[in-house]
Amino acid sequence: MSIDSIRTHIKGRVIEPGDANYDDARAVFVGGFDRHPSMIVRPADASDVAAAIALAQENGLELAVRSGGHSTMGFGVSEGGLVIDLRDMRDIAIDGKERTAWAGGGITAGAYTASAHAQGFATGFGDTASVGVSGLALGGGDGYLSRKFGLSIDELLAAELVTADGAILQIDGSSSPDLFWAIRGGGGNFGVVTRFKFRLHEVDAVFGGMLMLPATPQVIESFVAEAAGAADELSTIANVMPAPPLPFVSAEHRGKLVILTQMVYAGVPAEGERAVAPLRALGPLVDKLRPMPYPQIYAPEDPNFHPMGANRVMFLDAVDREAAETIVDHLERSEARFRVCQIRVLGGAIARVRSDATAYAHRSRRVMVNVTAVFGDPKEAPRYRAWAEEFRIALQKGQPGAYVNFLADDGPARIREAYPSDTWDRLRAVKRRYDPTNLFRLNQNVPPAAAAS
Ligand SMILES: Cc1cc2nc3c(=O)[nH]c(=O)nc-3n(C[C@H](O)[C@H](O)[C@H](O)COP(=O)(O)OP(=O)(O)OC[C@H]3O[C@@H](n4cnc5c(N)ncnc54)[C@H](O)[C@@H]3O)c2cc1C
């Protein structure tokens, strides 16, 4: 197919340099990626995706696949290549009887959650409404329902996927066990997922919201220990960071380190009140925990916010006093205008899935930590990268492990850390079968296994 003929071949849209909406269409969430693709295809269905893949193959164009556009590495846009942007494929069909939903590959976590909530259901995604379900769920998907129900990949029942050769496959655990295993944690390495089928749970009102605590090492250690020992219904995400200048933060705390935690108790709200009592006993500076409709856990977002950041992710098995002191020390020493150490307490349903059941294999790790410095000038990047890397090494203490969706410019050795050896070898074999030329390489890349001699 020629570049000129694609417009007549597909039902969706094609955007090229010079088109009025080109600059908006090529923008991604993370700042600092000013890439100019030669073409953006916004498919209407899987056959449009197949046509765009053929175009990229035949013309040797680098291929970017974009859903919510939140890749930390700006992988959703290519310099000079072709972008398949799924944002127009965001339909959702809910089957309340079967408790499943089919959702288009371009839907965001927030849009899915709002539609499912309207019928009294939810599927767990991450902490931010504008993140794409696709990128999130292909890497794992940790959020406010994870300890209760598992990661987003644990809710995935089937998918429609277009492979590098243009084949449109309907896959699930019975029909394509290897491929279905690989897309649950292996990221966008295996094809373009155009539709997902997820399990739904009856989740309506929950108990949750925000609790702001003082960020002393003692409180950080106690918070993690209490959250890890809480009922599985309670999932927490704690951000140790300078207190923002928001109306509910008193002047004396603004800019000082606090633990800003968000949490959801996915069960009877009155029981949630009891479950959070040990956290409330840590002496909150602000307490906004309350019964609420589940979608309210998603904070409103500023569409013009495009932060540039340096970040590093790792797994820990606990946050003891020494680790908590390391966290406070590194955050206090940084001069970044914004810096955060995000602590996600895992366990619960995440840990009840066998480590070889999906390509996300770090099932037994108890805590995920993500450290980030946000800066305003790209020239500052090396300095803050060095800070994040040093912070990681100090906390991780040689215990390997990474979550692929929060990897940044870490490099190949850390992509390997996201996957234990058996998982890595199996992913490479699946990659060889479905993408032998590594067409899908603008990602945290799993290269195809070498051909047997
Ligand atoms: C503000 C913010 C909050 C976050 N919160 C969480 C969180 O709470 N929990 C969590 O687990 N992660 C979280 N993440 C990480 C997030 O899961 C990843 O950045 C994810 O890749 C974003 O997906 P996306 O579709 O928005 O991004 P995109 O940039 O559109 O896609 C990222 C990559 O995913 C692949 N991809 C996307 N769509 C498809 C598709 N349909 N088919 C095949 N491959 C595809 C491609 O390789 C693409 O380059 C967060 C990230 C940010 C920036």
Side-chain angles (χ1 to χ4, degrees):
M1 186 186 314
S2 77
I3 291 183
D4 292 335
S5 68
I6 182 116
R7 282 184 194 272
T8 53
H9 260 85
I10 66 165
K11 298 172 255 352
R13 289 196 268 172
V14 176
I15 301 169
E16 289 176 274
D19 288 350
N21 54 347
Y22 176 72
D23 283 335
D24 281 346
R26 69 186 178 85
V28 290
F29 171 78
V30 174
F33 295 105
D34 186 23
R35 296 186 187 141
H36 294 76
S38 62
M39 180 178 287
I40 300 168
V41 176
R42 285 175 45 169
D45 60 17
S47 61
D48 282 2
V49 171
I53 288 175
L55 185 70
Q57 295 263 42
E58 287 162 23
N59 294 279
L61 294 170
E62 180 181 67
L63 183 62
V65 181
R66 177 210 162 103
S67 167
H70 278 59
S71 156
T72 15
M73 291 296 288
F75 285 140
V77 62
S78 151
E79 179 59 45
L82 187 150
V83 176
I84 296 179
D85 178 349
L86 293 147
R87 80 178 82 183
D88 295 335
M89 294 178 64
R90 52 177 178 229
D91 54 304
I92 175 164
I94 289 172
D95 184 333
K97 249 194 196 150
E98 201 194 55
R99 300 204 175 164
T100 59
W102 273 105
I107 199 165
T108 60
Y112 181 111
T113 301
S115 296
H117 181 74
Q119 302 199 34
F121 298 112
T123 301
F125 298 113
D127 64 0
T128 304
S130 57
V131 170
V133 161
S134 280
L136 180 114
L138 292 170
D142 172 69
Y144 297 115
L145 300 180
S146 294
R147 279 167 51 88
K148 172 77 174 154
F149 300 121
L151 302 171
S152 306
I153 49 171
D154 302 328
E155 307 289 23
L156 189 60
L157 302 170
E160 177 183 80
L161 170 129
V162 188
T163 47
D165 60 2
I168 300 172
L169 308 179
Q170 311 294 329
I171 64 167
D172 60 24
S174 318
S175 63
S176 316
D178 277 348
L179 187 54
F180 192 62
W181 169 87
I183 65 162
R184 287 175 295 155
N189 274 286
F190 307 96
V192 180
V193 179
T194 42
R195 297 200 316 141
F196 293 88
K197 183 184 187 184
F198 287 108
R199 189 181 292 116
L200 292 166
H201 299 279
E202 269 185 65
V203 174
D204 189 2
V206 297
F207 188 83
M210 193 273 286
L211 193 69
M212 197 172 97
L213 297 158
T216 63
Q218 186 205 338
V219 176
I220 294 171
E221 181 190 15
S222 302
F223 178 87
V224 176
E226 293 294 353
D232 290 354
E233 279 75 9
L234 188 67
S235 293
T236 60
I237 300 179
N239 293 296
V240 188
M241 58 186 253
L246 293 172
F248 60 79
V249 179
S250 67
E252 59 175 315
H253 294 121
R254 289 183 187 183
K256 307 242 169 71
L257 280 191
V258 294
I259 315 174
L260 214 152
T261 73
Q262 290 272 107
M263 63 190 79
V264 164
Y265 182 90
V268 180
E271 288 170 13
E273 189 114 32
R274 282 195 288 282
V276 302
L279 304 177
R280 278 180 155 156
L282 297 172
L285 306 170
V286 179
D287 183 344
K288 290 191 171 288
L289 298 177
R290 64 197 190 282
M292 62 178 186
Y294 172 63
Q296 282 188 13
I297 196 64
Y298 286 131
E301 293 174 54
D302 173 359
N304 298 315
F305 180 57
H306 295 291
M308 268 183 291
N311 58 291
R312 288 291 181 264
V313 65
M314 73 209 83
F315 290 108
L316 303 179
D317 293 314
V319 175
D320 58 14
R321 184 66 61 90
E322 194 186 335
E325 279 166 2
T326 304
I327 290 169
V328 171
D329 178 51
H330 279 73
L331 292 170
E332 274 176 349
R333 276 198 285 124
S334 169
E335 285 155 18
R337 59 156 77 158
F338 177 75
R339 66 266 187 204
V340 57
C341 174
Q342 183 178 76
I343 304 170
R344 292 168 182 253
V345 173
L346 307 173
I350 303 170
R352 286 195 288 276
V353 176
R354 275 181 34 193
S355 61
D356 62 356
T358 63
Y360 176 106
H362 295 293
R363 295 286 179 173
S364 61
R365 304 307 296 270
R366 310 305 293 183
V367 180
M368 187 195 297
V369 173
N370 199 11
V371 300
T372 303
V374 172
F375 48 85
D377 181 346
K379 287 197 211 93
E380 295 176 305
R383 177 168 149 218
Y384 290 115
R385 258 181 224 137
W387 171 85
E389 182 65 8
E390 202 260 321
F391 197 165
R392 172 184 78 78
I393 290 166
L395 270 180
Q396 204 180 13
K397 290 194 168 159
Q399 295 288 312
Y403 171 45
V404 71
N405 274 356
F406 283 131
L407 282 175
D409 53 352
D410 298 54
R414 295 220 72 229
I415 301 175
R416 279 290 285 104
E417 267 188 56
Y419 305 105
S421 291
D422 289 355
T423 308
W424 178 252
D425 292 346
R426 189 171 169 195
L427 281 172
R428 290 196 63 191
V430 179
K431 176 81 170 175
R432 180 173 159 70
R433 174 153 179 219
Y434 291 97
D435 185 17
T437 64
N438 207 0
L439 175 71
F440 301 108
R441 62 180 172 277
L442 205 54
N443 48 32
Q444 300 294 357
N445 196 237
V446 175
S453 52

